[in-house]
Amino acid sequence: MAVPPDAPPMPAAAPRGLLERWADSDVWHSFTQSWLTMAAAAVTALLVIGAALAPLVAPHDPFDLASLSVLDSEVPPAWEKDGQARFLLGTDNQGRDMLSAILYGMRISLFVGVCSVLLALALGTALGLVSGYVGGALDAFIMRVADVQLSFPAILIALLIDGVVRGLLGQEHGARTAMLVLVASIGLSFWVQYARTVRGMTLVERNKEYVQAARIIGLPPILIMVRHVLPNVVGPVLVIATINLAIAVITEATLSFLGVGMPPTEPSLGTLINNGYRFLFSGSWWMTIFPGAALALLVLAVNLLGDWLRDALNPKLR
Amino acid sequence: MTPPLVEATGLARWFDVTPSLWARLAGEHRLLKAVDGVDFAIRRGETFALVGESGCGKSTVARLAVGLYAPTKGSIHFDGQDLSLLKDRRRSRALRRRLQMIFQDPYASLNPRWRVADIVAEPIRAHGLLAGRRAIADRVGELLTQVGLAASDGARFPHEFSGGQRQRISIARALAGAPEFLVCDEPTSALDVSVQAQILNLMKDLQRSLGLTYLFISHNLAVVFHMADRVGVMYLGRLVEVADVDRLFRAPLHPYTRLLLDTIPDLSMSGKPRGPVAGEVPSPIAPPPGCAFHPRCPLAQDRCRREAPLARPRADGGGTVACHAVEEGRA
Amino acid sequence: MAGGAPLLEVRDLRVEFPTRRGTLVAVDGVSLSIAPGEVLGVVGESGAGKSLTGAAVIGLIEPPGRIAGGQVLLAGRRIDDLPAEAMRRVRGKEIGAIFQDPLTSLDPLFTVGDQIVETIRTHLPVGDAEARRMAVDWLKAVGIPSPEARAAQYPHHFSGGMRQRVVIALALCANPKLVIADEPTTALDVSIQAQIIALLKRICREHGTAVMLVTHDMGVIAETADRVAVMYAGRIAEIGPVADVIKRPRHPYTVGLMGAIPSSTRRLERLTQIDGAMPRLNAIPPGCAFAPRCPEAVERCRRDRPGPAEIARLDGVPHAAACWVHAPPAGAAA
Ligand SMILES: Nc1ncnc2c1ncn2[C@@H]1O[C@H](COP(=O)(O)OP(=O)(O)O)[C@@H](O)[C@H]1O
Ligand SMILES: Nc1ncnc2c1ncn2[C@@H]1O[C@H](COP(=O)(O)OP(=O)(O)O)[C@@H](O)[C@H]1O
Ligand code: SF4
Ligand SMILES: [Mg+2]
Ligand SMILES: [Mg+2]
């Protein structure tokens, strides 16, 4: 039977600190209940820290062309016959240390992933908020654009943007431009999900009495949206963002694999896989399997975290 | 006589509830007349109550009275100023500060992400009433104490409070701008009786000490009897009877008012017989023609089915009533 | 209840919710009984444990909640320990249920008539044609106009008040001896509320059905019940004949509650106010649960928990309260 709506009051207690409340919260509790989630968090943390600190922790600098030697090319992993202790996961066809390349590659992949998710999140949240709060013709317009957008796959948009940029800047653009293109194209293809979620929730929040109270005070709509509605719709947005990060990293890898992503001089995980793929059947399996495994591990761990976050924030499942 | 603080004249608010876009494009419009021509005046310092069953338009009147809706027809004036002025945010600042609202649902009326102190301080900041953190914090503490909470409660979040305490927070926020007129839309309907008693007592105390004027909305007649000076009874978007509270409860004229009074449970257990209550409120989208109450009315005659009764002064001079039977002396 | 065996007897009922911050006792030592054909009101603030008491009687406590102690006896037979299947047969056949939201009791996919027919056929040995005739009779009995036509309609064709009438028909159509009605009128408009209460009262009287009427509204109790149990923080504060409890409440909580209800005949400047609020389940004080708010609490109230003690007897019906000051146990000095 239903829990009564009017929960009895808390005993008078001193207001508690944020940390203390978090440690006592159900979200944190559900986290400690699942070893899979904790493992996923540990793996994610390890990979992210490894990637972020790549210049410090990587045994070699894969971008330092001077340190590369053709003599070191296609060395198998250390535990294989002919393996060298210097190159734990072997080297690629140019003599780059795979472990270092993977760490640096993950750094780029994660950077592109995070930036594009942030772009999609900012764009989608803003449009969804305005759409839901203002309503009317503007809402109809934004939602139709979203429908159209949704019928184009991310890859297609990326290829399109890449094509346009190549047309404008010439065939070979630098790593920086490539990164911008990736972020823009992945970000632009993911905003719809945020916009729809935020719009739906805004429609609900807008009619709540605390928003009416703010309107009676005379707060302008923009402030009501930002100060009142936004904080109440961010929860699900963060869940989508986490799950989206995994998809963004994969999309980046796919684009790079297709050759429209990061150039081989500054490889992301996708570029590495693409590069090694050509040597897969000549026996140098490590060149593609290790970046692939790193990608899979990263995506899986982030996804598990996203799933947990979704369930933990959903009161119905608790 | 001093002019009333709030005055509604022919006030109406219709909603377009045309079901489909196609029907809309084809020029078909289905209108829901949530409020359809009501007149009332509220004197300074008094409590004017609106009663009626759900869907009769009470909340719509409340929203019209604080400018959340613009009237479809008619007007509502506050201290001589037309409230349609509120659409102009800049020019209406001074006016806005003077009206505030308390809502029904204590769970939806406070932003769950804000600390109580920020919630209460919002009108102060928005209207620029005080400058400086210290001054604002002091005023918030004072307001919280005034509604029976502790100043230190400001540091907590709404979910840490019970329904009754939240309603106190709502009241503190409403008082923050030192308003003269409070619209209270079913402020205790979601509360238990013992908590309701606390809130009603508080509201009466505040009215006395601050000289507030209330538009008090409730479906609970006993609560209205306790709180109101004058009462308006609504049925399907119209006021069927307006009178001083004692006149209305002792000598109700309109058949609907009598029906409502007959539904009040008899706690004194006197075993008095009650008139049978029949029928339900029809849909406001297609209200019955003539007097909207005629399908449920024991006094209805042919004229009632054809012609909508107008509000006429009660014979005892204390208010108005809209009923053919009363006018014809059959009631 | 004068003489005769009770139809329902609840003895020392305890309902718990295990949580990770300890066990919450939501219903604590509740004992009550209902005689055949009697209407017992159960009143109290939200969270007092009224619904859980009703749910425990019909075996609908949802996990993680559980009955942790006490017994429920229907016509002398224990039903709280019945297996789920046997309990399902008791429900409907011997105990009917009416809830606040009529929609939760009605299946949107079946016509109203079919639902009543199915209930009748599940519990009574009648054929389809006979059941159908009975269903129409029931719809008529609960005041649904043109019952033949309405029987073929779906719940969403009915207004809220009409739905609650259908639910009443559904709860009573298998001729149960007891009906648990949990806030049956709370979701309805005042004029509909009065109609439904009158209907429930009439139908139950006609069929000799006993009712456990759970509500937060003392007015509904005054109109309907023979006896009333006032609950506070999972316990019964006072129980007795309704007129006596309303006119001469003894427990300070009941006194406060009655004073808090605005009257439509006598205007007071202020309503009686019980300061504070009912304690959370995790912070129920030792001794009397009402002691921290009680204007008359003495030392003992804060220390020992009072049990129900008889304070009066009207026509053989006891009026009892759990209060050290106003209902001292026999033989003990207050
Ligand atoms: N924004 C709206 N759009 C369409 N219909 C509305 C709107 N607001 C209220 N209504 C309708 O107007 C009628 C009156 O509603 P309301 O003023 O909320 O009644 P009350 O407060 O008396 O219950 C109802 O039938 C309701 O459905
Ligand atoms: N599933 C649950 N988990 C924890 N506590 C519950 C649960 N269901 C009910 N309760 C608690 O049990 C108490 C009594 O609930 P209930 O019987 O529904 O009260 P009411 O008197 O309002 O009907 C309440 O304090 C409520 O918070
Ligand atoms: S006008 Fe006619 S129908 Fe309406 S309330 Fe009066 S008597 Fe009844
Ligand atoms: Mg309303
Ligand atoms: Mg309940």
Side-chain angles (χ1 to χ4, degrees):
Chain A
M1 264 175 218
V3 179
D6 191 10
M10 292 273 275
R16 293 177 301 163
L18 191 65
L19 245 179
E20 212 178 317
R21 265 189 292 131
W22 175 246
D24 200 29
S25 71
D26 289 320
V27 175
W28 176 252
H29 178 73
S30 83
F31 181 76
T32 60
Q33 286 302 294
S34 154
W35 64 266
L36 194 63
T37 307
M38 290 200 281
V43 168
T44 310
L46 207 70
L47 293 179
V48 168
I49 291 172
L53 302 180
L56 299 178
V57 297
H60 304 267
D61 181 355
F63 300 135
D64 183 5
L65 294 177
S67 74
L68 298 185
S69 156
V70 193
L71 297 177
D72 292 332
S73 69
E74 298 192 47
V75 174
W79 59 87
E80 294 275 310
K81 195 162 87 61
D82 298 335
Q84 299 180 17
R86 288 194 292 151
F87 307 117
L88 185 62
L89 299 181
T91 63
D92 70 359
N93 56 320
Q94 292 174 37
R96 265 196 294 228
D97 173 41
M98 280 313 294
L99 178 59
S100 308
I102 287 173
L103 285 174
Y104 274 84
M106 190 132 59
R107 193 156 93 124
I108 292 172
S109 288
L110 272 172
F111 182 76
V112 171
V114 168
C115 286
S116 51
V117 164
L118 285 181
L119 176 65
L121 187 150
L123 193 66
T125 306
L127 287 174
L129 207 54
V130 170
S131 200
Y133 191 83
V134 177
L138 186 62
D139 175 34
F141 175 73
I142 293 177
M143 285 301 116
R144 288 302 83 74
V145 173
D147 290 343
V148 172
Q149 161 83 75
L150 217 55
S151 52
F152 288 98
I155 309 276
L156 199 64
I157 295 173
L159 290 175
L160 221 82
I161 295 183
D162 185 71
V164 171
V165 173
R166 271 174 212 270
L168 291 178
L169 298 183
Q171 262 318 301
E172 285 310 316
H173 45 245
R176 183 163 290 222
T177 322
M179 216 180 269
L180 277 179
V181 170
L182 279 171
V183 168
S185 46
I186 301 175
L188 283 181
S189 53
F190 281 164
W191 66 272
V192 174
Q193 208 183 347
Y194 297 91
R196 287 195 168 163
T197 308
V198 169
R199 173 179 176 271
M201 296 185 63
T202 303
L203 285 177
V204 174
E205 296 298 317
R206 179 182 71 166
N207 288 324
K208 288 211 179 141
E209 294 169 343
Y210 71 88
V211 172
Q212 291 175 17
R215 283 173 55 198
I216 294 173
I217 292 170
L219 231 53
I222 180 75
L223 282 188
I224 296 182
M225 278 187 254
V226 173
R227 285 201 208 154
H228 284 284
V229 182
L230 185 60
N232 285 293
V233 301
V234 287
V237 164
L238 292 182
V239 174
I240 301 178
T242 321
I243 293 172
N244 243 344
L245 178 61
I247 306 177
V249 168
I250 291 216
T251 310
E252 185 280 329
T254 315
L255 290 172
S256 294
F257 184 82
L258 292 177
V260 289
M262 296 304 294
T265 45
E266 271 181 60
S268 70
L269 285 180
T271 324
L272 288 176
I273 297 170
N274 179 23
N275 185 35
Y277 178 71
R278 288 178 283 134
F279 298 87
L280 187 55
F281 298 104
S282 63
S284 306
W285 52 268
W286 59 88
M287 286 173 56
T288 193
I289 293 295
F290 286 131
L295 177 68
L297 197 64
L298 177 68
V299 167
L300 186 68
V302 171
N303 236 331
L304 282 172
L305 275 185
D307 277 352
W308 158 75
L309 196 61
R310 186 188 54 210
D311 294 350
L313 291 182
N314 183 351
K316 285 203 198 81
L317 290 176
R318 228 186 281 140
Chain B
M1 219 173 112
T2 54
L5 183 64
V6 181
E7 188 163 25
T9 343
L11 189 64
R13 172 71 202 201
W14 300 349
F15 295 104
D16 188 345
V17 289
T18 316
S20 72
L21 183 66
W22 294 120
R24 209 170 290 221
L25 289 180
E28 271 176 48
H29 282 279
R30 196 189 289 178
L31 287 179
L32 189 156
K33 301 183 177 176
V35 174
D36 195 19
V38 307
D39 302 277
F40 60 83
I42 309 177
R43 289 189 283 267
R44 202 178 281 275
E46 82 169 351
T47 299
F48 180 74
L50 284 178
V51 273
E53 294 174 85
S54 64
C56 70
K58 304 182 298 295
S59 296
T60 306
V61 171
R63 288 167 189 201
L64 286 161
V66 288
L68 281 176
Y69 288 153
T72 309
K73 282 188 188 171
S75 68
I76 183 160
H77 282 76
F78 177 81
D79 203 9
Q81 290 173 283
D82 193 329
L83 280 190
S84 54
L85 192 77
L86 290 178
K87 267 183 290 185
D88 185 340
R89 203 173 300 113
R90 237 172 275 288
R91 277 176 52 210
S92 63
R93 255 204 168 168
L95 183 55
R96 266 181 201 284
R97 191 191 57 74
R98 301 170 64 191
L99 8 136
Q100 263 297 343
M101 182 154 170
I102 304 169
F103 300 90
Q104 169 173 4
D105 182 353
Y107 289 82
S109 55
L110 305 175
N111 189 336
R113 305 269 162 187
W114 283 32
R115 282 181 198 279
V116 167
D118 293 322
I119 293 174
V120 175
E122 193 179 21
I124 305 177
R125 297 205 173 104
H127 296 305
L129 299 179
L130 285 173
R133 293 167 75 105
R134 210 41 278 149
I136 294 179
D138 287 347
R139 172 79 178 128
V140 168
E142 190 186 315
L143 285 161
L144 287 174
T145 325
Q146 196 169 20
V147 299
L149 297 169
S152 60
D153 284 332
R156 294 158 68 185
F157 285 92
H159 71 86
E160 298 176 53
F161 295 87
S162 69
Q165 289 172 316
R166 286 178 202 221
Q167 215 56 323
R168 290 175 191 270
I169 299 170
S170 255
I171 295 176
R173 170 180 61 195
L175 295 179
E180 293 149 57
F181 177 50
L182 278 191
V183 175
C184 318
D185 189 1
E186 311 244 13
T188 61
S189 299
L191 306 176
D192 279 308
V193 274
S194 71
V195 183
Q196 166 172 284
Q198 296 173 0
I199 299 297
L200 293 182
N201 284 343
L202 173 67
M203 289 182 62
K204 277 204 153 185
D205 293 345
L206 291 171
Q207 180 169 42
R208 206 174 309 114
S209 58
L210 303 175
L212 297 169
T213 307
Y214 288 148
L215 171 59
F216 187 92
I217 292 172
S218 177
H219 65 265
N220 184 327
L221 285 131
V223 168
V224 164
F225 181 73
H226 178 73
M227 292 298 288
D229 297 307
R230 285 189 320 122
V231 184
V233 180
M234 283 189 82
Y235 192 74
L236 282 177
R238 290 168 186 260
L239 272 172
V240 297
E241 185 164 8
V242 180
D244 293 346
V245 65
D246 288 317
R247 278 211 183 90
L248 192 100
F249 277 75
R250 300 276 137 69
L253 290 181
H254 197 281
Y256 181 62
T257 312
R258 295 183 191 173
L259 179 152
L260 277 186
L261 291 178
D262 262 340
T263 64
I264 305 178
D266 179 18
L267 261 181
S268 57
M269 312 272 309
S270 58
K272 74 164 184 199
R274 305 145 126 268
V277 175
E280 299 188 5
V281 184
S283 155
I285 295 181
C291 170
F293 186 58
H294 82 251
R296 299 173 77 185
C297 181
L299 302 177
Q301 288 185 349
D302 239 17
R303 185 178 172 206
C304 307
R305 286 180 264 278
R306 270 179 299 134
E307 184 188 329
L310 297 174
R312 296 177 192 281
R314 278 171 60 121
D316 56 10
T320 59
V321 57
C323 169
H324 295 311
V326 175
E327 189 198 340
E328 294 160 9
R330 294 190 283 116
Chain C
M1 227 182 79
L7 171 66
L8 176 80
E9 206 177 346
V10 174
R11 290 187 192 148
D12 212 14
L13 178 71
R14 185 181 171 92
V15 177
E16 294 181 348
F17 288 93
T19 73
R20 79 188 149 91
R21 294 188 189 98
T23 300
L24 302 178
V25 185
V27 174
D28 191 359
V30 163
S31 300
L32 49 83
S33 62
I34 305 182
E38 185 187 39
V39 179
L40 174 76
V42 177
V43 72
E45 295 175 45
S46 55
K50 309 180 296 293
S51 295
L52 287 174
T53 306
V57 170
I58 33 178
L60 284 181
I61 300 273
E62 280 173 28
R66 62 192 187 92
I67 297 183
Q71 300 180 342
V72 179
L73 294 94
L74 186 70
R77 181 168 72 114
R78 255 190 98 164
I79 55 168
D80 56 296
D81 54 359
L82 287 182
E85 187 48 42
M87 194 62 214
R88 233 189 317 274
R89 274 195 301 275
V90 169
R91 232 179 284 141
K93 175 75 198 83
E94 293 173 62
I95 310 181
I98 303 169
F99 297 114
Q100 172 172 345
D101 179 4
L103 275 185
T104 56
S105 317
L106 297 173
D107 189 330
L109 299 179
F110 292 91
T111 66
V112 159
D114 285 349
Q115 296 186 47
I116 301 180
V117 166
E118 196 199 311
T119 309
I120 293 177
R121 295 212 52 194
T122 312
H123 297 295
L124 300 179
V126 294
D128 193 64
E130 170 70 2
R132 218 152 267 286
R133 203 186 49 70
M134 288 170 74
V136 172
D137 284 350
W138 270 110
L139 289 178
K140 195 164 155 197
V142 295
I144 291 189
S146 43
E148 284 93 358
R150 295 296 259 171
Q153 293 185 338
Y154 292 87
H156 68 263
H157 289 122
F158 289 71
S159 69
M162 287 294 157
R163 275 184 208 136
Q164 200 59 304
R165 286 170 191 266
V166 173
V167 172
I168 292 178
L170 206 54
L172 286 160
C173 64
N175 293 321
K177 291 180 260 119
L178 175 69
V179 170
I180 310 284
D182 190 353
E183 310 266 6
T185 60
T186 303
L188 306 174
D189 264 323
V190 281
S191 71
I192 315 299
Q193 204 166 328
Q195 296 171 22
I196 296 294
I197 288 175
L199 169 71
L200 190 65
K201 210 161 113 177
R202 176 173 60 78
I203 292 245
C204 289
R205 190 173 315 128
E206 281 169 13
H207 291 78
T209 316
V211 184
M212 177 165 164
L213 178 63
V214 171
T215 175
H216 67 276
D217 189 342
M218 201 53 134
V220 171
I221 300 275
E223 294 277 308
T224 323
D226 300 311
R227 286 191 307 131
V228 59
V230 180
M231 287 191 73
Y232 184 81
R235 307 162 183 191
I236 291 184
E238 184 157 6
I239 181 167
V242 73
D244 205 39
V245 171
I246 287 182
K247 286 195 189 137
R248 277 182 298 279
R250 312 295 167 87
H251 195 288
Y253 174 65
T254 321
V255 174
L257 196 62
M258 294 307 304
I261 303 172
S263 152
S264 60
T265 48
R266 207 160 41 94
R267 187 159 354 152
L268 304 163
E269 192 39 42
R270 289 176 69 81
L271 298 165
T272 309
Q273 180 166 329
I274 317 173
D275 286 321
M278 200 166 68
R280 286 197 171 210
L281 293 184
N282 59 8
I284 293 182
C288 173
F290 188 60
R293 303 172 69 191
C294 182
E296 302 178 58
V298 295
E299 169 64 32
R300 174 149 201 206
C301 305
R302 284 179 264 276
R303 202 180 54 228
D304 304 327
R305 179 174 163 186
E310 191 173 315
I311 29 188
R313 192 171 269 267
L314 284 99
D315 305 330
V317 184
H319 178 170
C323 171
W324 289 125
V325 178
H326 290 276

